[in-house]
Amino acid sequence: TPKVDPQEQFAKLETAIKEIYNHNASKMLFEELYRIGYGLVLSKNGALAYDGVKGVLERHLGRCVRGDILAPAAAVQAAPTPANNEALLVSVRLLWSEHVMAMLIIKDILMYVDRVYVANAHVPPVYDMGMCVFRDQVLLAPARRLSADLAKAVLGQIAAERCGIEVDRGSLRGVVDMLVELQDTTQSGTVYDVMLEAQVLAEARAHYASTAGARLADHGAAEYARAAQADIDAETGRADAYLTPATGAALRSVLLDELIAKHASEILAAGLVRLLDQHDAGALRVLYGLFSPLPAALDALHAGIHMHILAQGQQVAGALAPLSVATCPDDEAGDGAGSGAPARRGQQALGAAAKTAVALRWVQDVLALYDVYDGLLHSAFGDSQEMRKTIHDAFIRIINDNGRAAELLSLFINDSLQSGLKRKGEQEIDHLLERAVLMFRFLQNKDAFEHYYKAHLAKRLLFGRTLSDDAEQSLVSKLKVECGSQFTLKLEGMFKDMQLSADLTRDFSAAGAADEPRLDMGVSVLTPTFWPALAPPVSDETAQEMRAVRPPTDQLRRAIERFSDAYLARHSGRRLEWQYNLGSADIKVQFGARAHELSVSTYQLFILALFADAAEDATLTAAAIQAQTRIPWELLMRQLQSLACAKYKILTKTPASRDVSPADTFAFNSGFSAPQYRIRIPVVAARSSVESEQEKAASLVTIDKERQYLVEAAVVRIMKARRQMPHEQLVNEAVGQLSPRFLPTPKMVKDAVGRLIDREYLQRSPDDPRLYIYLA
């Protein structure tokens, strides 16, 4: 190439750069400018090109700052109003935009300089060098302090927007992008990170610290939470519009710390209880969203909800106070003669019915309370597993703090399956059963529930009081899923007995073995190990007398004997023991010109049968009735009171008093009448469905005995598998195995081990008394 002057060539390059800044790039020959840079590098004048361009940029930017930037910056220093701030931002953004466009062109012109000289000299590329020049000449020039003015302008615009003043977000976005692209002189981060972000966060913290204090004094929890969420959304919107994602996340953390974390207890005290009482899912959802990122605040929220649920549970439990009083007899009587008996007995009957209603209402109220918080779990707390556990723990506490929970749940199920399923569809029935199983799941002493449920189920099956066999079977299936087949073994056995009894009765009738005129007999043959004791406890003497009861008429005796003979002929080696006290009968009785159908107990049937073929004015003494029926006096007295002294007087009594003595005489009341055709004659002193304190104590004794057997069985099962085991480990494993049914105490396990050692199932190790050895 011909000899050329490098200075002359660079002068052309400098002129071209000036034209680029003057927006005349379209008039230039880029190929010629590229050859200039190429020639300077080949002639070993790359430093001239690189440093010369840098000098041109510095001089140009210096002139621009003096001409266009210093005046707006001075105005910001004097009065940082939104208008002055925006003027500075617009000026800097415009200068930056022109510089970036120019550097893109200059970078292309000096492409060969970048490729060869920059690589060999280990200096920044031309474009990066231009960015550094802008940073040093515009932002960081010591004499101008433009970086401080620019930061003040940005912060001023953010503060103005917080106050509701509209600002030019485009200018802010452009300036922030500029600061993000420019590297700090230490290369440890961007100019934005070093110069602006910390101040943005500090300003936000100061602003919301003062806002929180003023707002707490004037707002409740709901209003405060919504305002705090609005502030967070606003700051997030600002960050999305003209700050960086990292700043947006940091701003959220600052706001959560200042608005929520530092005031969590005050916010909860200001209205959490009211929000829960009002079931305000929207406000709770906002509150939960604000508390969720803050572990300490979230723990306080969980604790507040837990305590409020417990408080509501105590209010529900307060309605159970009447159950602590001994249960009154419920004989549905009220017409006995003498000494004001009607009013007194009527009050007792009402008391018993009220106690049953109270018991049912407790279960309904607990389930209704659970439905409220289960709904809030979905609508307000996003199905959070932690919140689910908080709610469940509270209801476990509420339910198990009530010593009658197992009994009341069984009573609720009993009432639902007897009358609560009327006019309900399949889905409603399944929902009702699911709710019952849910409450059962929260019970810790499930064996106590089994004790009561067996008694209620037995009465429903024997007396035909259930409305849906499918619902009964479905509930047992659900309990089986919850606790396993061992838990429902006896319940399934009861259903099997009833099915076999129905088949026996059908076969017996079909074979003509029960061919008695005007008599249709059904017999339930029960396996003693499956069925609980259904009758109220009686003395040993009375129990012995009950076995001697015999039907008073030949017709009844023949039917019973024929069934016994037919059954024992089919099943050798078995023994039938007739439980007349558990039976019932429907009989048609003619009273003068009108007939009624009476639903009576089997004992009442025996008594009325004595008057069936007797003369119309025949009388029998109580002693004569007992002689012919052999019903124990303790029970016979109640049956006679039911027939002669209660609401429906089927018999007349002489003398007309409520008390029955052996010499009292009874006659058939042929003049009896009632509006309804079918009449149920209840037995005097039938108890309320809720156990009295004495009955409850007896049930606890029975349950404790069953638990002893269960604990012993678990210990033997564990030791048989392990052969040897230390005391602590044995206790832990036994508790783990039995906890699905009930929670045994370590003392219960220790006592069981002692009994097993006495019976030589186990022995202590001679070397270590805390080590047990299984004896085969």
Side-chain angles (χ1 to χ4, degrees), residues 725-738:
M725 184 174 285
H727 175 79
E728 292 79 7
Q729 189 176 352
L730 176 61
V731 170
N732 292 336
E733 287 209 24
V735 171
Q737 283 194 13
L738 294 169

Side-chain angles (χ1 to χ4, degrees), residues 450 453-462 473 488-501 525-527 529-532 534:
E450 181 190 12
Y453 185 74
K454 281 194 304 183
H456 288 138
L457 174 62
K459 291 180 180 179
R460 292 198 301 274
L461 294 179
L462 286 179
Q473 296 279 6
T488 58
L489 179 63
K490 293 183 179 180
L491 304 179
E492 292 172 333
M494 293 163 67
F495 283 106
K496 185 177 180 181
D497 278 353
M498 294 305 297
Q499 182 61 48
L500 293 176
S501 297
V525 183
L526 313 181
T527 305
T529 54
F530 294 154
W531 294 78
L534 297 177

Side-chain angles (χ1 to χ4, degrees), residues 21 50 54 57-58 61 96 99-100 103 123-141 144 178 181-187 189 191:
Y21 275 110
Y50 187 88
K54 182 178 181 181
L57 296 177
E58 289 174 344
L61 290 174
W96 166 254
H99 180 69
V100 169
M103 287 307 304
V123 293
V126 172
Y127 182 84
D128 292 348
M129 175 266 292
M131 297 299 104
C132 293
V133 170
F134 187 93
R135 176 196 66 199
D136 297 337
Q137 293 298 315
V138 177
L139 298 180
L140 302 181
R144 289 188 284 268
M178 173 193 75
E181 187 169 348
L182 297 175
Q183 286 291 316
D184 183 56
T185 54
T186 62
Q187 300 296 315
V191 174

Side-chain angles (χ1 to χ4, degrees), residues 495-576:
F495 283 106
K496 185 177 180 181
D497 278 353
M498 294 305 297
Q499 182 61 48
L500 293 176
S501 297
D503 295 341
L504 281 171
T505 301
R506 185 171 55 252
D507 295 344
F508 179 60
S509 300
D515 189 14
E516 291 287 344
R518 300 183 300 165
L519 176 63
D520 182 15
M521 184 175 72
V523 180
S524 299
V525 183
L526 313 181
T527 305
T529 54
F530 294 154
W531 294 78
L534 297 177
V538 295
S539 63
D540 294 340
E541 181 181 355
T542 301
Q544 185 66 30
E545 293 175 352
M546 289 170 62
R547 298 187 183 97
V549 174
R550 62 194 298 269
T553 66
D554 293 338
Q555 183 187 27
L556 292 172
R557 287 195 294 269
R558 283 195 305 269
I560 291 171
E561 289 169 358
R562 288 175 181 174
F563 183 89
S564 298
D565 294 341
Y567 180 82
L568 296 176
R570 293 178 59 177
H571 304 281
S572 60
R574 296 188 183 181
R575 180 171 61 89
L576 288 178

Side-chain angles (χ1 to χ4, degrees), residues 316-330 346-364 402 404 407-409 411-412 415 456 686-695:
V316 172
L320 294 175
L323 298 184
S324 61
V325 181
T327 307
C328 298
D330 183 3
Q347 290 172 358
Q348 290 177 338
L350 179 61
K355 286 170 184 173
T356 302
V358 165
L360 296 176
R361 190 170 68 248
W362 179 80
V363 178
Q364 293 164 350
N402 180 6
R404 290 182 177 268
E407 176 193 358
L408 302 186
L409 175 58
L411 184 62
F412 170 77
D415 180 75
H456 288 138
R687 292 286 180 176
S688 163
S689 300
V690 184
E691 285 187 332
S692 65
E693 293 299 324
Q694 294 80 3
E695 291 169 333

